Amino acid sequence: SQQGEEDPQALSIQEGENATMNCSYKTSINNLQWYRQNSGRGLVHLILIRSNEREKHSGRLRVTLDTSKKSSSLLITASRAADTASYFCATDFMDTGRRALTFGSGTRLQVQP
Amino acid sequence: DGGITQSPKYLFRKEGQNVTLSCEQNLNHDAMYWYRQDPGQGLRLIYYSQIVNDFQKGDIAEGYSVSREKKESFPLTVTSAQKNPTAFYLCASKRQSTALSGANVLTFGAGSRLTVL
């Protein structure tokens, strides 16, 4: 499967701590994105990193991309209870003719107040 | 406000019935997508459409059908051939990326939860 795999599957931390989620994929990509999903809702785009970028920041979010290892990480700093959600990586694969994102299995983040 | 509207939010179906999930967007996006999400899992692509009157199968198209007669609308029909249709269905759209804008981001609807009784 070309689908991204994420770890951990679930993560529970205290408010104020940092949360790190990882995503691995199998084939070359054009870009990698991270999305957030609150329980029972649609996904919301957080950040996009292109294949020629190594690190990107957006507010409390930091994303890294290592194309040699085919992996990415999402760091949420100074977490808040409102960050509780599932987080998904999504990849835009280069080698296929398919023009659609492929999503990972997600990390469920619980931030304890 | 621009966005994607999915309806109904909750739907119950008896075995053997076809049901149609609605997805409408007023974002003037060219591409539209249907994903299925099972509890505690990621999204799997059912169908997608890059342009009106054209669509392609995704990874799990069997038992589903779509149409794209208008740019704004991409309804999904869950047919009786879909053996395990109970799931959360998500519709998304995307403005076609260009070399300059690089826009390649999906906007999602709030989802429709289908339960087979």
Side-chain angles (χ1 to χ4, degrees):
Chain A
S1 166
Q2 296 175 324
Q3 189 174 33
E5 297 296 329
E6 295 174 64
D7 76 272
Q9 288 188 332
L11 180 61
S12 182
I13 60 174
Q14 297 293 318
E15 216 167 19
E17 294 180 339
N18 295 343
T20 299
M21 290 158 263
N22 303 296
C23 170
S24 61
Y25 56 92
K26 295 182 179 179
T27 61
S28 299
I29 59 172
N30 291 313
N31 63 69
L32 186 144
Q33 304 175 37
W34 286 88
Y35 288 78
R36 166 192 167 126
Q37 183 183 33
N38 285 3
S39 180
R41 305 299 301 271
L43 278 70
V44 175
H45 177 258
L46 294 175
I47 194 166
L48 178 153
I49 186 165
R50 302 188 190 283
S51 59
N52 61 353
E53 297 175 311
R54 292 297 167 257
E55 187 170 313
K56 201 161 184 181
H57 296 254
S58 177
R60 293 184 297 112
L61 304 181
R62 179 185 146 218
V63 171
T64 62
L65 179 64
D66 187 335
T67 52
S68 66
K69 295 181 180 178
K70 293 185 170 57
S71 67
S72 174
S73 67
L74 171 68
L75 169 67
I76 304 174
T77 60
S79 64
R80 305 166 181 167
D83 294 329
T84 294
S86 292
Y87 292 83
F88 296 89
C89 67
T91 43
D92 185 5
F93 290 112
M94 182 184 294
D95 295 341
T96 70
R98 187 167 95 169
R99 303 301 302 274
L101 296 181
T102 298
F103 285 82
S105 52
T107 293
R108 292 185 303 280
L109 174 65
Q110 176 77 41
V111 181
Q112 308 285 352
Chain B
D1 283 312
I4 298 181
T5 302
Q6 288 188 239
S7 62
K9 188 170 177 63
Y10 298 97
L11 184 61
F12 298 89
R13 185 192 100 173
K14 293 181 180 179
E15 284 193 26
Q17 285 183 335
N18 292 356
V19 293
T20 297
L21 307 181
S22 170
C23 179
E24 303 277 333
Q25 54 100 359
N26 60 4
L27 299 166
N28 198 33
H29 283 177
D30 299 296
M32 297 186 74
Y33 306 81
W34 276 105
Y35 287 90
R36 168 179 170 145
Q37 185 177 33
D38 291 284
Q41 299 193 24
L43 281 64
R44 292 185 289 168
L45 182 68
I46 306 173
Y47 268 99
Y48 66 104
S49 168
Q50 298 287 307
I51 196 170
V52 174
N53 292 324
D54 188 42
F55 48 83
Q56 287 77 41
K57 291 182 179 180
D59 299 317
I60 56 166
E62 186 175 350
Y64 299 98
S65 66
V66 293
S67 62
R68 187 83 188 277
E69 297 176 1
K70 298 186 300 181
K71 187 176 184 178
E72 302 79 18
S73 178
F74 191 41
L76 173 74
T77 296
V78 185
T79 76
S80 57
Q82 171 49 238
K83 298 306 177 189
N84 185 22
T86 295
F88 189 52
Y89 291 87
L90 287 158
C91 179
S93 70
K94 183 187 79 172
R95 181 167 61 89
Q96 289 292 45
S97 64
T98 66
L100 288 177
S101 72
N104 193 29
V105 170
L106 295 186
T107 300
F108 280 84
S112 292
R113 188 168 300 280
L114 172 63
T115 302
V116 173
L117 302 174

